[in-house]
Amino acid sequence: MEVDYDMMIANTKAERDKAVTDLKHYRLFTAKVQNGHLRKQTIRELTNRKRQLDARMRRLIEQKNA
């Protein structure tokens, strides 16, 4: 089965860019709207999502080059 790594990498990069944008917007625009614990927890979840996408992109690049 042929796998199109370039397409998968491009999709993952687009998802990662969206995750980065979401994280930046959340940090900028929710400072006074939510309490500290909820905001901190949401930022942690958004950061973890970005890290997961980074790791997925690295794995795809490694598989492509292997």
Side-chain angles (χ1 to χ4, degrees), residues 16 19 44-59:
R16 184 196 172 280
R44 190 175 296 133
E45 290 170 3
L46 291 169
T47 304
N48 286 339
R49 175 71 177 145
K50 184 183 88 59
R51 287 181 185 152
Q52 288 172 348
L53 291 168
D54 284 341
R56 182 175 181 206
M57 201 158 58
R58 279 194 306 272
R59 284 193 307 271

Side-chain angles (χ1 to χ4, degrees), residues 1 4 6 9-10 15 18 27 29 33 35 37 44 48-50 55 59:
M1 179 167 63
D4 189 2
D6 292 328
I9 291 169
E15 280 185 57
K18 184 181 180 316
R27 281 185 174 154
F29 301 122
V33 177
N35 66 20
H37 178 72
R44 190 175 296 133
N48 286 339
R49 175 71 177 145
K50 184 183 88 59
R59 284 193 307 271

Side-chain angles (χ1 to χ4, degrees), residues 3-64:
V3 179
D4 189 2
Y5 285 107
D6 292 328
M7 182 183 66
M8 293 173 68
I9 291 169
N11 287 340
T12 304
K13 185 174 179 344
E15 280 185 57
R16 184 196 172 280
D17 291 344
K18 184 181 180 316
V20 169
T21 303
D22 291 346
L23 181 59
K24 283 181 183 177
H25 280 91
Y26 189 82
R27 281 185 174 154
L28 286 174
F29 301 122
T30 60
K32 299 186 179 176
V33 177
Q34 295 180 338
N35 66 20
H37 178 72
L38 180 62
R39 184 172 185 271
K40 190 175 187 178
Q41 183 179 2
T42 306
I43 288 174
R44 190 175 296 133
E45 290 170 3
L46 291 169
T47 304
N48 286 339
R49 175 71 177 145
K50 184 183 88 59
R51 287 181 185 152
Q52 288 172 348
L53 291 168
D54 284 341
R56 182 175 181 206
M57 201 158 58
R58 279 194 306 272
R59 284 193 307 271
L60 287 170
I61 291 170
E62 288 173 4
Q63 289 174 357
K64 177 185 174 188

